[in-house]
């Protein structure tokens, strides 16, 4: 049985570590948090979140900080490694062993794939992975699920396209892994060079009804959720390849003609050119509302791992 | 009639947007805040200020943060754009639409003149302009008025010189606009190359009794308030021009011989060489005490726009 | 008599300023703080710490922030001078005179030796020196004493080696000065080029039983405390000299064969290669637990100088 005891002291490193029951339980707790944003709460009063961002981030860092403040807790940390002891050559393990003396929970982003796992191994307090290189970004996947469930009423039964850079996009890795727990149809839509990473394919195989394709236009009429991500120019050796891709996945209001009426377009943000601003005011745009779910979800996670629920 | 309802949810973008009654109301509320600094307050408990500094700042940022903390609120944000998603190419509008999901009010500084207005247009929460390029710095003008009123008892009837870079100095732009609501005599004292910016002249014309001059020494004996600002070397194509100006407006205790006994010297700070340190311990120096008024004033503004008064 | 009144409003600049009675009193208060970390406290509710780090730091800054948050207070400040008005050419005195209007106590780190003293001279609120160039780091010395006393039960009677860069290491300067108040035997162990700085020698002479040596191995069997510090390559004109030193003071589990059973190894951290990770899990390693004492100690100092005890 999943209950709050399942989460107290627990690390949140990878979507691979969570069952459907656990995910649903977390999403339920996130929904419980919604009224607290307005009302305020002292649930985590006296608790300290250390936000360690070895890679810059606006939204994930501020989202964690907002979640902690909404529950009455405090935040310490750094927004870039340059101001930290990392520049003096300290190992990640040592940094974590030090920072755990200052805080009750650590949320971290790091360019290295295994950083969050390493941190969890040495820390005696919970570690929450706020993005580990191209590997995973589990709290983003959970907030995405919460946004989908809140908007659609249900995750089961949906047809979902994950679009863009599926090779390096940590967000879509975590989301794909999470979705294997649900009865959904998923399209992995990407240019050939940026197909879904092998270990994710391996981990969803047999558990997720998925199709890999390059052709977004073709699958578009089927979709309930179009989850767009940024394709970075630097990923292509030939700039011409990039331009082709960029245009193929550019979502604007013209492109969205003929889609299901309640198709929702999502994006982990920041978006650059993937979604035209002329989509912003349509009923399809979920990407800005999606952001709010990050606060609800992280409030729930912080409260759960700190044993406050 | 002006009351607290006039301010709930309101953006603070330009002094052009405020009537005398509104300004006086804000200054009264700032005075109400003074005892709370010592006593502490929970007026904004559970509320979050996002301080977004796209340009570095010590005093404005820390002043806002101090004001929020003094009222029991929390602060999130960034002190420089480099750690934010701006480096990934996100538009200001998108950043604001994201950050408003994390916070209840945004204070921002930005190098672009229209940034604060753009932010206010897209945001559903109040935006406070903490400096928008060379255009305006309304909270500085309000704190300056509060410092003047507290020290002098009244703003009406004073003779005030705004000195230095009147072309690029956002502080003096906002202050000049604000002063048009009062019965004051104002000297705009600047080198020819840095005369008061045209749109300010246009907006005060007919409403403010002002004189433009290069000669500070000549108007000095008349002054109740000498408001000095920094003249930056980079503004001059000929370094010799800069040196001339720098010396003409260098305020030291010798220069202040023969001024009114209760002349107060103000400065938005940081000062570099404009005011000699030998003025610091004279009764003329208001510039360090001026800083405290920033906290009172911003406490009042935060409480007002958040509907907490 | 030493009591809380001895500390209210006081600056913490140098270990030279404190008597044994005062140090013991501070250490006692740090011990009082231990249960508050778990329980939480509102002792400094409504109070603001300004953390001004003109030099980057992870542990000292986060330790001060954690201490302030644990007591219910708030923190403002900057983690590097680049985001501050320092880049505009403001003097330290001016920065302090401004920031004291925003806060109740200032903790600062600065590359200059006399910065903390200068700040204390101009400030009307307490200044706590969080590291002043190579000169002193008094809060580190106090936390080190607290870690030693807590672990050993007593400071008197111990044999202690301060090892590494004794010329530029501010930590060992403060610690040596502090130890002159106790009945201890101290070895100053360093390469010839990095012998204990003259003014420290002068200040401990006649009050501290010390021996200067290059040979750590020889004194090792006598030690109760081995306090290691980092030796920076940049200090040596000849890289070969550095390599020799680095190897001579490299502490690993083999090196520790034959030491006293309850020898404790300490380090102000970050460590780079001075202590091998194979020491981490031995009973000798005190360096990670040492970190926690920084929070207790700084809680006590903040509460004391703010008159809250």
């Amino acid at each position: 049985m999943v209950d709050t005891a399942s989460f107290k002291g627990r690390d949140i490193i990878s979507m691979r570590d969570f069952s459907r029951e656990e995910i649903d339980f977390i999403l339920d707790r996130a929904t419980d948090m919604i009224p607290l944003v307005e009302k305020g709460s002292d649930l985590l009063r006296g608790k300290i979140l250390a936000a360690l961002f070895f890679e810059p981030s606006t939204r994930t860092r501020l989202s964690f900080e907002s979640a902690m403040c909404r529950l009455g807790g405090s935040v310490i940390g750094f927004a870039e490694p340059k101001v930290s002891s990392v520049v003096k050559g300290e190992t990640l393990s040592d940094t974590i062993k030090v920072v755990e003396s200052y805080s009750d929970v650590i949320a971290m982003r790091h360019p290295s794939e295994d950083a969050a796992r390493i941190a969890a191994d040495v820390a005696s307090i919970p570690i929450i992975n706020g993005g580990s290189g191209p590997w995973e970004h589990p709290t983003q996947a959970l907030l995405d699920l919460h946004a989908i469930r809140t908007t659609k009423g249900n995750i089961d039964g949906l047809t979902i396209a994950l679009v863009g850079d599926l090779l390096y996009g940590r967000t879509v890795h975590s989301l794909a892994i999470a979705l294997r727990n649900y009865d959904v149809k998923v399209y992995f839509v990407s240019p050939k060079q940026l197909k879904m990473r092998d270990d994710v394919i391996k981990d969803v195989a047999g558990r997720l009804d998925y199709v890999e394709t390059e052709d977004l236009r073709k699958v578009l009429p089927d979709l309930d959720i179009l989850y767009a991500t940024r394709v970075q120019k630097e990923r292509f050796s030939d700039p011409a390849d990039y331009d082709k891709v960029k245009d193929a996945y550019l979502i604007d209001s013209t492109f969205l003609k003929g889609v299901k009426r309640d198709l929702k377009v999502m994006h982990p943000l920041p978006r650059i050119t993937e979604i035209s601003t002329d989509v912003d005011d349509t009923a399809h745009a979920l990407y800005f509302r999606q952001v709010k779910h990050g606060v609800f979800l992280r409030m729930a996670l912080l409260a759960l791992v700190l044993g406050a629920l």
Side-chain angles (χ1 to χ4, degrees), chain A:
Chain A
M1 204 204 55
V2 174
D3 60 13
T4 54
S6 315
F7 295 96
K8 186 175 176 178
R10 189 157 170 188
D11 303 305
I12 312 292
I13 305 303
S14 162
M15 286 315 302
R16 290 157 166 100
D17 304 337
F18 293 87
S19 70
R20 164 139 189 184
E21 289 64 34
E22 289 173 326
I23 295 171
D24 286 342
F25 187 87
I26 294 170
L27 300 185
D28 290 344
R29 298 295 76 71
T31 301
D32 295 346
M33 293 294 144
I34 298 177
L36 300 188
V37 170
E38 278 301 309
K39 279 199 310 177
S41 164
D42 272 343
L43 203 59
L44 298 185
R45 181 104 171 270
K47 297 295 179 191
I48 298 176
L49 164 67
L52 306 187
F53 279 75
F54 297 88
E55 258 186 9
S57 157
T58 308
R59 80 204 60 248
T60 303
R61 182 172 62 86
L62 295 186
S63 179
F64 270 112
E65 294 189 12
S66 179
M68 194 66 184
C69 292
R70 291 295 186 205
L71 293 174
S74 303
V75 183
I76 64 174
F78 50 81
E80 44 166 352
K82 193 168 42 57
V83 303
S84 80
S85 286
V86 174
V87 296
K88 299 181 187 165
E90 188 174 57
T91 65
L92 176 64
S93 294
D94 275 18
T95 300
I96 296 297
K97 277 188 240 173
V98 165
V99 173
E100 70 175 351
S101 283
Y102 304 146
S103 57
D104 302 294
V105 54
I106 293 173
M108 62 181 280
R109 168 166 293 184
H110 198 284
S112 153
E113 294 218 349
D114 51 1
R117 197 69 89 186
I118 288 170
D121 284 347
V122 301
S124 59
I125 62 172
I127 300 287
I128 304 179
N129 179 6
S132 48
W135 185 53
E136 278 225 38
H137 191 358
T139 65
Q140 177 74 41
L142 288 165
L143 82 86
D144 293 337
L145 292 183
H146 193 255
I148 293 170
R149 201 183 75 167
T150 304
T151 307
K152 294 289 189 182
N154 215 334
I155 297 168
D156 290 316
L158 299 178
T159 300
I160 300 171
L162 307 185
V163 181
D165 179 354
L166 305 186
L167 183 56
Y168 298 104
R170 56 188 165 206
T171 298
V172 285
H173 301 158
S174 290
L175 189 51
I177 302 281
L179 286 171
R180 69 183 181 177
N181 296 289
Y182 294 87
D183 180 24
V184 289
K185 172 158 188 90
V186 175
Y187 293 105
F188 294 153
V189 185
S190 73
K192 266 194 303 275
Q193 305 93 322
L194 298 172
K195 282 178 71 174
M196 182 59 84
R197 175 178 154 126
D198 284 346
D199 61 352
V200 176
I201 291 292
K202 209 180 118 218
D203 282 356
V204 301
R207 298 186 53 183
L208 181 71
D209 176 10
Y210 74 90
V211 173
E212 296 187 270
T213 176
E214 285 183 72
D215 193 345
L216 176 57
R217 194 170 289 276
K218 198 158 139 198
V219 305
L220 192 61
D222 286 346
L223 301 179
D224 300 301
I225 299 288
L226 190 171
Y227 194 99
T229 65
R230 194 151 46 105
V231 176
Q232 294 180 276
K233 202 171 186 169
E234 307 85 79
R235 303 297 186 198
F236 294 83
S237 45
D238 182 347
D241 286 347
Y242 169 72
D243 288 337
K244 231 183 301 170
V245 169
K246 203 186 60 174
D247 293 345
Y249 298 154
L250 192 149
I251 295 151
D252 57 19
S253 56
T254 308
F255 185 83
L256 292 179
K257 290 263 156 67
V259 298
K260 283 191 189 171
R261 214 179 123 175
D262 53 1
L263 166 75
K264 297 298 175 193
V265 178
M266 300 178 72
H267 194 293
L269 303 178
R271 59 138 171 215
I272 310 303
T273 56
E274 309 86 74
I275 304 176
S276 165
T277 54
D278 73 358
V279 179
D280 294 5
D281 296 323
T282 71
H284 298 303
L286 185 58
Y287 35 95
F288 288 120
R289 269 185 294 145
Q290 190 181 345
V291 175
K292 266 196 194 304
H293 294 273
V295 178
F296 310 145
L297 191 283
R298 291 177 178 117
M299 289 168 76
L301 280 183
L302 290 167
L304 282 168
V305 302
L306 288 170
L309 288 184

